[in-house]
Amino acid sequence: VYTVHDVIHHEGVPGYFRVTEAIFRKLPSGFVVLTGESKRQLAAQGVDETKIRVIPHGVYDFFRRTQSDEPDSQGTNGTDAPTDDPKPKTILFFGRIEPYKGLPILLDAFAPLAAAYPDWRLVIAGSGDVSAYRERLDHPRIELINRFVSDEEVETLMKSAEIVALPYLSATQSGVIPTAFPFEKAIVATAVGGIPDMIRDGETGLLVEPNNAASFRNALKRLIQDAELRAKLGKAGAAFARVNLSWDAIAAQHVAFYQDLILARIGLDG
């Protein structure tokens, strides 16, 4: 059984990986994918749908080491150095910075919000090439942590955030969402790939169309202005993760899939 995270490779994936992965995909008796969209994509490539099982991305609750909602270092930029505002409200873009993640869309969306809501900031945390955005990142309400982020820092960043932003242009799935859920964070994301499997618009987060800065800005503005909605979405996301994304549930789904494949092989299915 082979787990395929990205049925269609992202831009920039090296050729050697594409070749070896193409070979691996010819070997399994079954495939695990993380979203319904991935199943459709794999089936479109000729894989028998009966050999594909959708098992979602598990919740990354291990990042939440303490139950307190207070970050370890209020008002920091991921280090011990204090910021100008001891308690700014934060929109967080988290994870490795890649073109498909749509950072320019978020920067376009945030620019007018920074002027209108001076008690809000944007924190961008993750390694990756930001040379194309350097001038735009030089802003008093934007903090950049352009490096690998340790597990301990993940907890601080998530607890410091009010909103987690995923302005992706494309995505098979995202590990950021199951990281944010246990921290009860309101999420704004684009309706691409398998993201709608976890973000149900108006229930576990807000979904907007991709590559549309105005739509993303309006969703952020809605959450900035409505603390009650932020709390509601955050709690609903955490509850969704506890029920659907727990590792016990995911392990049980894997066992069931293996059993189904074994029974099919020995002719006892149905």
Side-chain angles (χ1 to χ4, degrees), residues 117-135:
Y117 302 96
D119 57 335
W120 283 79
R121 66 174 179 170
L122 172 62
V123 173
I124 300 165
S127 60
D129 183 7
V130 296
S131 58
Y133 324 123
R134 278 293 178 189
E135 290 187 7

Side-chain angles (χ1 to χ4, degrees), residues 187 189 191 196 198-208 219 222 233:
I187 298 171
M198 287 192 281
I199 300 298
R200 298 172 179 176
D201 189 34
E203 297 181 20
T204 59
L206 298 182
L207 282 178
V208 302
R222 182 180 172 192
L233 296 175

Side-chain angles (χ1 to χ4, degrees), residues 5-29:
H5 282 252
D6 296 313
V7 177
I8 298 174
H9 296 297
H10 293 300
E11 180 182 351
V13 171
Y16 73 85
F17 182 84
R18 294 172 185 266
V19 171
T20 55
E21 228 246 337
I23 295 171
F24 290 154
R25 290 190 190 185
K26 296 181 182 298
L27 303 176
S29 302

Side-chain angles (χ1 to χ4, degrees), residues 15 57 79 127 129 157 231 246:
H57 196 305
T79 70
S127 60
D129 183 7
L157 287 166
S246 75

Side-chain angles (χ1 to χ4, degrees), residues 39 56 75 88-89 98 112 153 190 193:
K39 180 176 181 178
K89 296 182 179 68
E98 299 282 1
E153 289 174 303
T190 47

Side-chain angles (χ1 to χ4, degrees), residues 182-196:
F183 293 95
E184 300 187 359
K185 298 305 172 182
I187 298 171
V188 178
T190 47
V192 295
I195 286 179

Side-chain angles (χ1 to χ4, degrees), residues 45-88:
Q45 294 179 4
V47 177
D48 183 347
E49 287 195 21
T50 64
K51 296 182 178 181
I52 308 171
R53 186 66 56 91
V54 177
I55 302 177
H57 196 305
V59 64
Y60 282 164
D61 50 4
F62 54 84
F63 284 119
R64 183 157 191 170
R65 297 164 184 258
T66 62
Q67 291 307 305
S68 169
D69 290 329
E70 292 297 319
D72 295 333
S73 303
Q74 274 281 15
T76 72
N77 58 2
T79 70
D80 293 329
T83 60
D84 293 335
D85 185 346
K87 292 185 179 180

